[in-house]
Amino acid sequence: NGGDGGAGTTSSITGSSVVYAGGGGGALIAAYSGGAGKGGGGNGGSGSVAGSAGTANTGGGGGGGGISSSASSGATAGGAGGSGVVILRYPNSFTAALSGGASSTSGEQTTGSDKYIQIESTGTVTFS
């Protein structure tokens, strides 16, 4: 049976509770009963089912690939790990600007009395 991946860690830096850095679940060998491992990242595969990918922008691990009941039938691919992310939280009086290739799918957001920006690529952040 596939073992469970790590649960990861929960953060509320954006104002919403999100799980980051969960481990991917292990695969199930099809000849056995039970289930593939669940993960804070991707779930493990089973038999001819591939492992699922870790969630983007959370750093979660991908699930292990499924393994058929006989070695001659081969195995399926494991899931890709989720891309990482950096989240900066700062006072409302500041304004962030990204440059040098840095990007954010959500842009600058407000949560409570602060702002935050989720950075998803390398580059530079400046504040004014």
Side-chain angles (χ1 to χ4, degrees):
N1 291 338
D4 289 344
T9 187
T10 302
S11 171
S12 298
I13 192 169
T14 65
S16 298
S17 183
V18 178
V19 176
Y20 295 96
L28 167 71
I29 298 174
Y32 296 92
S33 61
K38 304 294 182 195
N43 292 331
S46 172
S48 62
V49 177
S52 62
T55 304
N57 303 318
T58 65
I67 303 169
S68 68
S69 57
S70 68
S72 62
S73 297
T76 60
S83 56
V85 65
V86 173
I87 299 172
L88 299 175
R89 188 167 172 169
Y90 44 92
N92 257 336
S93 58
F94 290 21
T95 299
L98 302 178
S99 61
S103 67
S104 171
T105 55
S106 59
E108 194 171 55
Q109 301 289 312
T110 301
T111 179
S113 61
D114 292 329
K115 291 181 184 174
Y116 73 90
I117 193 162
Q118 182 170 307
I119 304 163
E120 298 161 356
S121 61
T122 60
T124 304
V125 179
T126 55
F127 295 96
S128 57

